[in-house]
Structure formats: C-alpha cells, structure tokens
Amino acid sequence: MSDPGGNVLHLTAAEYATAERLAGFVAAAGASAAPRLLLTNRRAATLKLRPLVGDPVALPLDAHLDAATIASLADPTADLDNPLRGPFAVLRRAPMAAEFAAVKLLKLARLLPAALVATAADTQGLLCVDADAITAYDDQAARALRIVSDARVPLADAEVARIIAFRPPDGGIEHLAIVIGEPTRREPVLARLHSECFTGDLLGSLRCDCGEQLRGAIRTIAAAGGGVLLYLAQEGRGIGLVNKLKAYRLQDQGFDTVEANERLGFDPDERVFRPAAEMLRLLGFDAVRLLTNNPEKVSGLVASGINVVERVPHAFPANNHNEFYLATKKAKSGHLL
C-alpha cells in the first residue's frame, strides 16, 4: 500500500506468522526494507511496551522476534499460559500514514490488528492500495449503500414484515432492515439498531443479552403498530465473530468484555453508525424513536444526520452467565441499564 508521502509497504497479517512465511516475507522485502511489526496502542499497553509513540507502535524485527513470538505478540489468548519475554524494542518515531492504513486494513478483514510490514522499493507485480482509500473506506462504503433485495418474510412475532438488503457497489458487507408493519414517514419511526450476534441471535447464547434484545425489539415494534429494525453486520462490536470468540476466551481468563477487546488490540467498540443512518434515509426515515440503552448509538445517529427524538429503554433481566457482562457495559461503556 502507498501513502501521500510516497511510502509503499509490503503487508502480511502477524497472527499467521510461521517460520516459512516470515523468511519469505523478509526475503521478498529485501535487505533495505526495514521489516517491522505494527501493534495498536491498545495491544502495546497490554504488553507494557514503553515509550508509546503514536498509533500503531512499530517494533523492528530482531533476534527476539521469531515467528512464534510475532504470532504471540499479535494474539493475546495465550498470554497467561506463555508469558512473553522481552525486552522488545520500540521505534521512537511517529507512524507513517501507510502504517496506520495497514492496521486498518486488517480490521476491515476481521483479522487481529497486528501487521508485519516492510518498506517496498520495487512494487512491480504487487497489488497496491492507496492508504487514503483504506482509511476512508468505512465512510465511503456507508455512503454508497444501495437497496439490492426486498422480500416479504412473515416472522413469528411480526407476521407483516419485510426484509430489505443493503450492499455497497463493491460487493462489501451487507446490512439488513426488517420493516415491520407499514410505518409512516410522516412522524418519527420506532427503530432499533441491532448488531448481528451469531452466538446470541442464532444459538441462544447466555453470555450476552443479544438474542433477547433482537426478539424483544421485534415484539415491541410489532405491538406498537410498526417500525424498523436494522440488522447490522457488526459482530462483536465490529471485531468479527472469530475475534469475538478470542475475546470470550480472554473473558474466561478473568478479563471483562472491554479489557478483552483491548488486549486483542481493538478499541472497546469498533462500530460505526453511518451505515445505519444511510439505511434509514434510503427507507425514507429521517427521525426516530430509538430502542436502545447505549448512548453511543444515539450520538452516532445524530452525528450522521438522523434526528433521535426519543430514547426508548430496551433492557432485559440478567442471568448468571451474563450479569458481569451487563455490569461492565453499564460501568465502562455507559449503557443505561
């Protein structure tokens, strides 16, 4: 990838480092490429790497950083079983735009945000992506969303319902709207933003309250006479299903949901709400009564131009598997529970 400063980087995901892949990466980069490992400030702080200069943090590849160590630096799920032995050097300089974009690209791919990069002198035969296109992707993909499919789907708790699919032109991530009843566009619509949760929505996991929130929202909207539920492809607060399962493993080690995401190198919440705003506009809604306990959803919609005239509480009782999770959402994420 390249940035406005003329920097071009070779890139590979650090979590998949093996001795063979690392040797091939270093050989392809060349002697003057200065290969390095990029970690987010969140992950670097977990590893007690100091000083932290910028985000991402760059570690030069040296004798300490063999393939197994690189993979362990990227993936924290074995930290307690196999504590990492340093010291690890940190480059004392601000990151390049291309380095920031490299980590962002891994997040977009739902990989752990740790990258092996090397400065590229020869780009012949390489697929090169502009750093600005990567950093702007979330916003551009949201603005480009279009309705691509629409079908009547009677639901157990809302027989009059339609599912409308949205997709950007590049064939990227798809989001869904469940329109219940025949909501008017002349007044604020009762709406719910629901981030997909495979474990809770489909399997009935007791570790979260997602399944109850989904089915409860459908019942509430149907009882109110109509509205819309946006089913957003933002599994695990935007980190993806595989990384969410890694976070679960960390939670089993004693970390709360926020700490687990940060140890993985992510922010506590990686979601963006511009796609939801664009979906509402395409459906003809510019004002909502929002079913949520999360103030970030309110502010995210407002920042994207949707008028939130009311926050409608949407909470369910805890069970002995998710009570700590819900307490953490309240204490650390500001949820109104």
Side-chain angles (χ1 to χ4, degrees), residues 31-91:
S32 61
R36 51 208 180 270
L37 171 65
L38 302 179
L39 301 173
T40 67
N41 262 341
R42 300 286 190 184
R43 180 63 178 142
T46 294
L47 295 166
K48 303 296 189 290
L49 295 177
R50 297 289 188 271
L52 301 184
V53 181
D55 189 2
V57 175
L59 285 66
L61 294 193
D62 58 23
H64 283 94
L65 296 185
D66 59 13
T69 301
I70 289 169
S72 295
L73 285 167
D75 188 342
T77 52
D79 280 357
L80 299 187
D81 298 327
N82 301 294
L84 291 163
R85 308 278 183 209
F88 299 106
V90 175
L91 294 176

Side-chain angles (χ1 to χ4, degrees), residues 261-325:
N261 275 27
E262 291 178 342
R263 291 185 75 86
L264 288 167
F266 295 101
D267 290 336
D269 195 332
E270 292 276 347
R271 290 175 294 183
V272 294
F273 298 108
R274 180 67 182 270
E278 293 297 332
M279 292 165 71
L280 287 168
R281 274 192 280 270
L282 288 170
L283 292 171
F285 303 113
D286 58 11
V288 299
R289 299 171 54 238
L290 191 63
L291 274 166
T292 189
N293 299 305
N294 184 356
E296 292 294 324
K297 289 184 178 180
V298 175
S299 60
L301 281 185
V302 170
S304 299
I306 298 296
N307 181 18
V308 181
V309 301
E310 180 186 0
R311 183 192 70 82
V312 180
H314 190 60
F316 297 86
N319 62 59
N320 61 348
H321 296 282
N322 70 14
E323 56 187 357
F324 180 54
Y325 164 78

Side-chain angles (χ1 to χ4, degrees), residues 2 8 20 26 28 43 72 80 90 101 106 133 139 145 158 188 191 226 239 242 244 247 274 278 281 294 307 326 336:
S2 62
V8 180
E20 182 180 5
V26 172
R43 180 63 178 142
S72 295
L80 299 187
V90 175
L106 293 177
D139 188 64
L145 282 174
I239 69 174
V242 171
K244 185 178 82 169
R274 180 67 182 270
E278 293 297 332
R281 274 192 280 270
N294 184 356
N307 181 18
L326 294 177
L336 304 170

